[in-house]
Amino acid sequence: MILDPKARTFSVAPMMEWTDKNCRFFHRHLSRHALLFTEMVTSAALIRGGADWLLNYNDDVEHPIAVQLGGSDPAELAKATSLCDQFKYDEINLNVGCPSDRVQSGKFGACLMAEPELVADCVRAMRDATDRPVTVKCRIGIDDQDSEEDLRIFVDHMLEAKVGALYVHARKAWLKGLSPKENREVPPLDYDRVYRLKKHVGDLPLMINGGIETLEQCDEHLQHVDGVMLGRAAYHNPGLLFDVDQRYFGDKSESISLDSLCEVMMNYAEIQMTKGAKLNQIVRHMLGLGFGKPGARRYRQLLTVEAVKPGASPQLIADAFEILKAGRLLAEAS
């Protein structure tokens, strides 16, 4: 499958311990066209023999889907890319944005922005190992290396390496002194810098990420860049994905109904539980569907407290969705 570049118009960010295959299955039934990302997978873990487990996904429904790799050794990343290629991912993305201590200790993530030549070598090695797009997700800077010129030097190396696209988190990362959570909140957002960077890279697809919470904000960003990437907003309020296909992809088909979504997720949970999955591992990604809705507290309670009890079955999903439907009817009547 060849990735349609339009898929990058709206994407859901890779998020550790969140965007697993259960999350992506759920999100895919809210939007048929948004580009979904895996959690970051390290190249070392893949070539040590973890590919079958780490790269497995619901191939029949998750496309378009990108896999994100973490690593800094070009040869190792090339081998990992070859493994990803076998699993038919639509895009292979290199993480140059994660600021966590664990990632830094492995010499990958945001700390690589200090070594643009190395990142360029990684991109070239990955491109040589696949015909699929190789892309990079980065920050606008790190620590004291945060000038606009520093960013352009990094990006110029990516252009020379013929990177397929850039996803830019519009905050710098402080690698010392701030936690990953603080790095998502403390450094100020600088969207204008990303807009100027888009003018610098010309035709190269450039997507913006960081602090985007509503589709109205997406509309504004799309006046300046090629795509938007939402992270926590899409996870905590997945209901906004209902409107993505019509709004950004021109798909006039009706969004999936709550009844149909309920049936899909119940069937999926039943199949996955026969394979050893726990119900709470599946329904935890659905908690945000009640965001701002009447009955949201009871809905979340069912999918958290009740889902971990012995004997919990997919019927719990139907019970929770009845609360959502009742709340929707109440809201429509008021």
Side-chain angles (χ1 to χ4, degrees):
M1 180 180 293
I2 299 175
L3 178 69
D4 183 347
K6 292 181 181 178
R8 299 192 186 106
T9 303
F10 188 100
S11 58
V12 179
M15 292 176 283
M16 292 299 294
E17 299 183 356
W18 285 10
T19 52
D20 62 20
K21 71 175 187 177
N22 297 324
C23 174
R24 297 191 306 267
F25 182 90
F26 171 56
H27 283 176
R28 177 55 70 220
H29 285 84
L30 302 181
S31 169
R32 292 175 288 272
H33 302 289
L35 178 60
L36 304 181
F37 276 73
T38 70
E39 304 168 89
M40 183 186 67
V41 183
T42 67
S43 55
L46 291 182
I47 66 174
R48 283 200 301 262
D52 287 341
W53 175 58
L54 292 169
L55 296 179
N56 182 40
Y57 66 102
N58 304 289
D59 183 43
D60 56 333
V61 298
E62 288 190 47
H63 294 283
I65 178 174
V67 58
Q68 187 181 68
L69 295 180
S72 60
D73 181 278
E76 186 176 84
L77 280 165
K79 292 178 182 177
T81 297
S82 294
L83 291 170
C84 295
D85 210 40
Q86 295 173 24
F87 281 79
K88 298 181 173 61
Y89 282 94
D90 299 296
E91 176 178 307
I92 302 171
N93 179 264
L94 179 62
N95 184 321
V96 191
C98 182
S100 77
D101 291 339
R102 181 177 67 84
V103 167
Q104 290 182 60
S105 67
K107 198 186 176 184
F108 54 93
C111 64
L112 285 176
M113 291 198 71
E115 301 185 62
E117 297 91 348
L118 175 59
V119 179
D121 287 342
C122 291
V123 169
R124 292 187 189 96
M126 293 168 69
R127 288 185 60 248
D128 287 344
T130 183
D131 292 328
R132 301 174 192 278
V134 172
T135 64
V136 165
K137 186 173 187 291
C138 65
R139 294 272 183 148
I140 59 172
I142 55 170
D143 297 335
D144 294 324
Q145 186 178 320
D146 64 350
S147 72
E148 198 144 343
E149 180 63 20
D150 290 327
L151 178 60
R152 289 194 175 187
I153 290 172
F154 175 84
V155 168
D156 283 345
H157 278 83
M158 299 306 101
L159 292 171
E160 291 173 7
K162 293 183 168 51
V163 72
L166 289 173
Y167 299 82
V168 183
H169 188 141
R171 283 188 176 95
K172 66 181 267 186
W174 279 109
L175 300 182
K176 297 180 180 179
L178 292 183
S179 68
K181 181 177 185 297
E182 290 170 329
N183 262 303
R184 292 191 299 269
E185 300 169 352
V186 175
L189 288 159
D190 191 346
Y191 294 134
D192 287 338
R193 178 176 290 193
V194 183
Y195 299 163
R196 292 190 294 272
L197 184 63
K198 170 56 192 173
K199 293 180 180 178
H200 177 69
V201 301
D203 292 336
L204 182 75
L206 188 147
M207 282 57 66
I208 196 167
N209 171 234
I212 307 171
E213 297 183 350
T214 68
L215 297 187
E216 289 71 27
Q217 291 172 356
C218 292
D219 295 342
E220 172 59 28
H221 290 306
L222 288 171
Q223 300 299 312
H224 306 278
V225 295
D226 300 296
V228 291
M229 172 181 271
L230 271 67
R232 278 149 184 81
Y235 190 88
H236 290 308
N237 182 20
L240 62 79
L241 297 177
F242 280 122
D243 297 323
V244 162
D245 290 347
Q246 287 197 24
R247 193 163 185 148
Y248 302 118
F249 297 99
D251 187 342
K252 303 304 181 183
S253 305
E254 288 189 18
S255 301
I256 191 170
S257 68
L258 283 179
D259 284 334
S260 295
L261 183 60
C262 177
E263 182 177 359
V264 164
M265 295 310 300
M266 286 180 68
N267 290 339
Y268 177 76
E270 185 172 355
I271 292 170
Q272 295 303 313
M273 290 174 74
T274 64
K275 299 177 181 179
K278 304 295 185 183
L279 182 63
N280 67 299
Q281 295 173 331
I282 297 166
V283 300
R284 71 186 182 95
H285 303 296
M286 301 163 57
L287 297 178
L289 200 59
F291 181 87
K293 304 292 192 302
R297 183 177 179 182
R298 176 56 181 158
Y299 170 79
R300 292 193 301 270
Q301 183 181 32
L302 279 177
L303 297 186
T304 51
V305 178
E306 302 299 325
V308 298
K309 291 183 177 179
S313 76
Q315 176 59 38
L316 192 65
I317 298 175
D319 296 341
F321 270 60
E322 285 300 319
I323 295 172
L324 285 186
K325 289 189 290 183
R328 174 172 290 187
L329 290 173
L330 178 64
E332 290 174 351
S334 61

